[in-house]
Amino acid sequence: MFRMLSITALRAGYARAMTVRPDPGPTFWSRARWLLKAGPADYMLAMSVASASLPVVGKHLEPLGAATAMGVWGYRHLPDFLGATAKSLLSPGNAELKKQERDSTNSVTEAALRGIVPAKDLAIEWPAPERTPPLWKLREQRRSVYRTSVRYGPRPSQLLDVWRREDLPAEPAPVLLFVPGGAWVHGGRLLQGYALMSHLAEMGWVCLSIDYRVAPHHKWPAHIADVKTAIAWARANVDKFGGDRNFVAVGGCSAGGHLSALAGLTANDPEMQCELPDGSDTSVDAVVGIYGRYDWEDRSTAERDRFVDFLERVVVGRKIAKHPDIFRDASPIARVHADAPPFLVIHGTGDSVIPVEQARSFVARLRAASHSVVSYVELPGAGHAFDMIDGARTGSMTTAIGLFLNQIHRNRSLIKAKKVI
């Protein structure tokens, strides 16, 4: 009995792991080809997805699939991470270089905002570098959480936290919807974006931090569908928490940076929001991408080739050679257009997970096409997830984002006031 259940579960896991949209289902030959080409990671993913489909206990086993997928992702990026770490440790004079990079953070950030943010707003005392990681301030930061686990859609995972001050003024506050990262296999609110949201909440903003569906149990495009659902919810409901439905920005880190950029560039695209009622508003007023991945097509380097392979096996479940449109449509760099909203892109030169060239190429494409403001902050020496582990740069980043978003909000308010007059 157990053996039959295992075989049935494995087949079910395979079928769910290899499809994005409903289709006639895998044939005998497609199963045979998959079994011949599959490696240990593929079998582990199929079994983890299958276990989640079991009655009663299945929903409690979903985290195993995310852990397996994260392990596959980590294994593929391990060579780059180890190489970067070894270079950092063994290079002569590296300690002095790191100090110079840390000390230049505020000046580099201020220079990047010059011409976008007024000089008087930049003439502030920028945060001093801190030795302690931002994660050590979790309890202090979470004081800005106003309401937890608010439902933004009908699915169990469609939940968000509201961050805001208790004494928010009566006038509606601008809104930032924060999308956490996690390699498209983890999309939880825990730990991510705390420094940024607590800073914005103190400035009088309302922040919404969301959970969303992730692979391998939910294939692409479930991720972006949930982000779009959250934006539509904010446009219709955030006033209940003191937010301004007429000003909603979106931002995120890593995979969340990708999803935020894609959401900003595909406003009201029916193919991206097929789960929403007609007429749902998924436009945003600004986008903040923090060490995001903006290209799902490019295989020109060993690192990019490994990344696309990970997408094929874990996130999308389709081969790019047979379904190039799926990967192109999911690439923010391929969706750039003249009417894009204002963008702030932040990336570190020491990022070994998503190399800084990704951000540079994306910003160059945006600046060439968009009529809106495009600001780019390149932090010397900053690595991936620096906003959680690097106290020397996090304060500067949150300050820069606050200045940028406040200026975009101020500009929008002036434009609306002129239209009324």
Side-chain angles (χ1 to χ4, degrees), residues 51 66 105 135 151 163 223 233 323 348 351-352 360:
S51 65
T105 298
L135 283 174
R151 189 168 297 282
W163 294 58
H223 311 65
W233 181 92
H323 303 278
D351 195 328
S352 61
R360 293 171 181 169

Side-chain angles (χ1 to χ4, degrees), residues 216-299:
H217 304 288
H218 305 284
K219 296 297 185 183
W220 182 266
H223 311 65
I224 189 65
D226 281 4
V227 174
K228 293 276 191 174
T229 300
I231 294 170
W233 181 92
R235 288 292 192 191
N237 298 282
V238 76
D239 55 320
K240 299 173 184 176
F241 297 97
D244 185 357
R245 295 189 298 177
N246 296 314
F247 190 93
V248 177
V250 63
C253 299
S254 195
H258 159 263
L259 292 167
S260 298
L262 188 62
L265 293 167
T266 58
N268 300 321
D269 184 337
E271 293 186 3
M272 292 276 178
Q273 53 197 63
C274 57
E275 299 180 6
L276 287 170
D278 292 342
S280 298
D281 186 2
T282 61
S283 64
V284 298
D285 296 285
V287 179
V288 179
I290 308 168
Y291 49 87
R293 171 80 69 167
Y294 306 109
D295 192 334
W296 276 27
E297 296 182 277
D298 191 350
R299 308 188 81 153

Side-chain angles (χ1 to χ4, degrees), residues 354-410:
I354 303 177
V356 70
E357 286 76 14
Q358 278 264 333
R360 293 171 181 169
S361 300
F362 179 57
V363 168
R365 185 79 63 89
L366 264 176
R367 284 176 170 168
S370 177
H371 296 322
S372 297
V373 166
V374 179
S375 183
Y376 177 48
V377 179
E378 187 171 292
L379 296 173
H384 207 69
F386 67 84
D387 58 312
M388 292 192 288
I389 60 176
D390 188 350
R393 297 174 174 90
T394 300
S396 182
M397 181 208 69
T398 57
T399 299
I401 294 173
L403 290 169
F404 176 84
L405 288 176
N406 266 351
Q407 185 59 36
I408 300 302
H409 180 241
R410 189 180 299 125

Side-chain angles (χ1 to χ4, degrees), residues 181-229:
W184 302 273
V185 299
H186 172 77
R189 295 160 284 161
L190 186 64
L191 302 180
Q192 297 196 53
Y194 284 16
L196 173 60
M197 291 186 291
S198 62
H199 175 71
L200 289 178
E202 184 61 30
M203 293 172 58
W205 282 63
V206 170
C207 297
L208 310 172
S209 178
I210 69 169
D211 284 351
Y212 56 91
R213 286 173 290 171
V214 292
H217 304 288
H218 305 284
K219 296 297 185 183
W220 182 266
H223 311 65
I224 189 65
D226 281 4
V227 174
K228 293 276 191 174
T229 300

Side-chain angles (χ1 to χ4, degrees), residues 159-200:
L159 301 172
L160 60 81
D161 288 346
V162 180
W163 294 58
R164 51 157 282 186
R165 281 167 35 184
E166 289 283 350
D167 60 341
L168 202 65
E171 183 179 348
V175 178
L176 174 73
L177 189 145
F178 182 81
V179 186
W184 302 273
V185 299
H186 172 77
R189 295 160 284 161
L190 186 64
L191 302 180
Q192 297 196 53
Y194 284 16
L196 173 60
M197 291 186 291
S198 62
H199 175 71
L200 289 178

